Amino acid sequence: MERAGTLERGLAVLRVLTAEPERPLRATDVVRATGLARSVVDRVLATLVHLGYARTAGRDVLPAPRLTELGEAYLACSGLRDTLGPIAARLAAELDESVFLAVRDGDGARFVAGHARRGAVSVTFRPGDLVPARRCAAGLALLDPSAPYALDDQLAEPGLTAVALPVRGPGGAPVCAVSVVSHTSRHGAPELAAHALPALRAAVTTMETALTEPAAAMETALTEPAAAMETALTERPGLVAGAAVVEAGPPGPVAADAARARAAKEELGAGYLRSLDRGLAVLVALGAARGGLTLAAAAAATGLPRATARRAIQTLEALGYAAPGDGGRFVLLPRVLELGYATLSRRTLSEIATPHLAALVARVRESASVAVLSGDDVRYVARVPTVRIMSVDITVGTRFPAYATSMGRVLLADLPEERLAAIVPRSLTPRTVTGAAELAAVVRRAAEDGYALVDQELEEGVRSIAVPVRDRRGRTVAAVNVAAHAGRATTDDLRRDVLPALRETAARIEADLAHIPWATAPDHLPGPS
């Protein structure tokens, strides 16, 4: 087996970075943890930062939200979350309990999807979490699938109870386990089994039926000529080209990869490891279709020579991230989720926005905030203040009437006209817009201009300017603003000096949100803050 050493070293660095994703590391920490030479670590980190999988804060290095695309590739490749997740959600609603899906990963059970019951006592396994198989019901069900059911009576954690059953694939082998999880304050273990098993068995039957349908569709796809499949992969919008995403149309993967490589080489010089870039691109590409890809299809999807794609796949196999599947395909394995998915995929809007706000404040030297719409108010979910004798004193959780704030106006601009017409503004300062027609006009202006500027309408002496933060579907989900005392900045100053930086910050927040699962759901609301 011919392995790609650079990819192997890159994954070793990623494992260190994601072992404790919230703990900043420096290059020297990575050197000690991996045993790699400092020069190698520096080049790997520079490449990961260039690809958007890591970011720097001074001398510290942290994993970035884009890294979740590796875990998403596994989840798409396995198809379990998308196929079985809705059934698990219905079971959770029926039982009013938490329900989770887990797969076998070595000696552990790794959770891949779940629906947690909301209550005073919450039970949550995050997608990507690994639990010793003998310490949880899902793991026990996978270790002994012939048992009538598996029961966890406070094995995983004191107070936690769970009952689980295996879910078998078309070939009859268990592909995952589904567990109903509760707390002793609600159900003891025997009581939970009696309560949940009838509905759980019915759900498993439904899941096993659902797994046969995509499998049949995949077998049909495999009968297509290889050339047709590769052409479809090459032309598919959003397919990986190198480690970048091509949204649609030309240039194709080969041209895009070459162009990106040239740009990276110009930016980083010898610090750019193209082989690491290509290896990670192959990993992501294997998630382009449920059931994985053939070598030819993976090469077509990334625009790489077959020999290069083969070395990357062989390395992923050797490290436990990929394996041969059916029909000459290669599939990703659950171990991919260890690369930070559990923590990064659960990042809140506040956690995502705060580093970008800090960079904005350092640039414009004024306070910056992010807010969401909550009823007729804006609610602050992230804020980085400046340190001045005279500053705008606002904290996370603060609420203000949306009609009188810059962030509120860009948020209102995304709502139907009747929603805006229902707001009854009142005067907060002599400058506050209170007329319905005038308010509608300034909101329309915000929609047309792509920003809103409020001059002392909320409070005398305070000016602010805001732009929207949008999701991948173009919906406004939040707003980011800069607020300044009127004595320090005129409205022209804010437009000239702050607006460009504000728009760049919004774009960076949007780029991170594009990789967070809750923010890409069809009917998502802003995540918890």
Side-chain angles (χ1 to χ4, degrees), residues 308-345:
T308 302
R310 180 185 296 109
R311 283 195 298 273
I313 290 173
Q314 289 173 340
T315 301
L316 294 172
E317 281 188 79
L319 298 176
Y321 293 116
D326 298 330
R329 289 165 284 156
F330 293 91
V331 298
L332 294 174
L333 297 179
R335 192 183 181 192
V336 173
L337 294 173
E338 76 176 359
L339 299 174
Y341 189 84
T343 300
L344 293 171
S345 65

Side-chain angles (χ1 to χ4, degrees), residues 90-305:
R90 291 196 295 271
L91 177 63
E94 178 182 351
L95 295 174
D96 190 26
E97 299 290 351
S98 299
V99 175
F100 301 97
L101 299 174
V103 296
R104 183 81 179 269
D105 187 1
D107 294 331
R110 195 174 293 276
F111 290 84
V112 297
H115 299 272
R117 175 185 181 273
R118 292 188 177 184
V121 178
S122 60
V123 178
T124 300
F125 290 107
R126 302 171 302 179
D129 279 341
L130 182 68
V131 178
R134 297 190 179 279
R135 297 290 302 276
C136 66
L140 293 171
L142 292 168
L143 290 173
D144 185 8
S146 63
Y149 59 88
L151 199 61
D152 171 1
D153 188 357
Q154 306 183 70
L155 292 173
E157 187 173 306
L160 184 148
T161 59
V163 60
L165 290 174
V167 179
R168 300 178 186 276
V175 295
C176 69
V178 56
S179 60
V180 178
V181 184
S182 191
H183 191 269
T184 52
S185 60
R186 290 175 55 79
H187 298 287
E191 292 81 7
L192 178 63
H195 168 64
L197 274 172
L200 179 57
R201 289 192 173 108
V204 166
T205 299
T206 303
M207 289 179 177
E208 291 177 344
T209 300
L211 286 175
T212 63
E213 296 168 358
M218 179 59 68
E219 289 305 316
T220 300
L222 287 173
T223 63
E224 299 176 2
M229 191 174 192
E230 291 175 22
T231 299
L233 284 166
T234 303
E235 295 176 351
R236 174 180 166 181
L239 202 56
V240 172
V245 174
V246 178
E247 292 301 334
V254 178
D257 178 61
R260 282 190 330 98
R262 285 194 299 272
K265 203 66 178 176
E266 290 174 4
E267 178 183 343
L268 302 178
Y272 168 60
L273 297 174
R274 190 178 188 188
S275 54
L276 174 57
D277 181 348
R278 289 175 158 185
L280 293 173
V282 170
L283 189 159
V284 174
L286 291 180
R290 182 183 168 188
L293 299 180
T294 63
L295 173 60
T302 55
L304 298 175

Side-chain angles (χ1 to χ4, degrees), residues 409-428:
R409 287 181 183 172
V410 296
L411 291 165
L412 292 173
D414 207 50
L415 298 182
E417 290 185 7
E418 58 270 22
R419 175 76 171 77
L420 179 61
I423 295 175
V424 180
R426 61 186 179 87
S427 179
L428 303 174

Side-chain angles (χ1 to χ4, degrees), residues 452-474:
L453 195 155
V454 168
D455 185 6
Q456 305 180 76
E457 294 186 45
L458 178 68
E459 184 173 338
E460 291 191 62
V462 177
R463 293 184 173 123
S464 69
I465 187 168
V467 298
V469 174
R470 296 187 171 94
D471 65 10
R472 288 199 299 188
R473 294 169 179 80

Side-chain angles (χ1 to χ4, degrees), residues 494-506:
L494 292 178
R495 289 190 183 93
R496 182 188 64 247
D497 301 331
V498 173
L499 183 56
L502 199 55
R503 283 175 165 154
E504 290 175 17
T505 300

